Amino acid sequence: MAIPEHVPIAYEPDYRTSSIGTYEGGQFFGSVTATLEDGTGATDSWPRYKRWYAVLHRFDRDGAHTGSQIWCADTSEDEGASIGRARARLADWLDALPGRVFSDIAIRLFHVEFDGHTFGLVDQSEDYDGQDHAEFVPDDLGFDPPWDGCYDT
């Protein structure tokens, strides 16, 4: 079995996929997520290298990526405030989507580069000994057979 052309993602209120669904223009996936510069996680100064983002990916009705809004709120040096700013920005973006309905989605693989990091739904089968695996990055949501919309973190 291969990664399907359209990877289903289940809507889960109050959890990691609580900001996904459809709108007049197609589908969307929103999140507040973080990146960490390579090699900095084991240092005492890691908070200055962990950056928090508001992210809103948009897709057409067929699941093809049409654009992304990505905004850096700041670092984990003041993590609570950074996350709060990112959540507020994401809420504004979601409120601006006409006809927004939170629901399951099915999208194609895609990726965008921002601040030197990959954001998107990417094939990571090679990292899983050739087993079919798609990963939503940097959110760390893993999708595997039976491709039912459920994910691992």
Side-chain angles (χ1 to χ4, degrees), residues 121-139:
L121 181 63
V122 298
D123 183 346
Q124 286 193 346
S125 302
E126 194 172 292
D127 296 335
Y128 286 78
D129 296 323
Q131 299 296 313
D132 297 326
H133 180 84
E135 187 86 12
F136 215 105
V137 295
D139 301 79

Side-chain angles (χ1 to χ4, degrees), residues 41-64:
T43 68
D44 289 340
S45 59
W46 69 266
R48 87 172 60 135
Y49 299 104
K50 186 173 182 180
R51 299 180 63 143
W52 287 93
Y53 296 88
V55 180
L56 181 63
H57 300 294
R58 293 172 315 284
F59 310 89
D60 65 18
R61 286 179 180 79
D62 191 43

Side-chain angles (χ1 to χ4, degrees), residues 10-153:
Y11 167 66
E12 290 186 295
D14 301 317
Y15 201 51
R16 303 279 303 273
T17 56
S18 63
S19 298
I20 70 171
T22 61
Y23 73 109
E24 287 178 10
Q27 303 177 77
F28 65 90
F29 186 110
S31 70
V32 170
T33 189
T35 63
L36 186 60
E37 296 298 322
D38 288 341
T40 61
T43 68
D44 289 340
S45 59
W46 69 266
R48 87 172 60 135
Y49 299 104
K50 186 173 182 180
R51 299 180 63 143
W52 287 93
Y53 296 88
V55 180
L56 181 63
H57 300 294
R58 293 172 315 284
F59 310 89
D60 65 18
R61 286 179 180 79
D62 191 43
H65 180 251
T66 60
S68 295
Q69 292 168 270
I70 304 172
W71 178 74
C72 183
D74 210 346
T75 69
S76 283
E77 289 179 294
D78 190 356
E79 188 167 278
S82 297
I83 293 170
R85 284 189 296 274
R87 286 181 177 155
R89 178 66 55 105
L90 177 59
D92 289 344
W93 290 343
L94 291 170
D95 287 346
L97 292 173
R100 181 195 70 212
V101 175
F102 294 112
S103 65
D104 297 349
I105 61 174
I107 60 173
R108 298 170 184 258
L109 297 178
F110 76 101
H111 72 279
V112 295
E113 299 296 321
F114 188 83
D115 277 353
H117 297 279
T118 301
F119 290 75
L121 181 63
V122 298
D123 183 346
Q124 286 193 346
S125 302
E126 194 172 292
D127 296 335
Y128 286 78
D129 296 323
Q131 299 296 313
D132 297 326
H133 180 84
E135 187 86 12
F136 215 105
V137 295
D139 301 79
D140 294 327
L141 302 179
F143 297 89
D144 302 286
W147 309 108
D148 58 2
C150 295
Y151 55 85
D152 291 321
T153 57

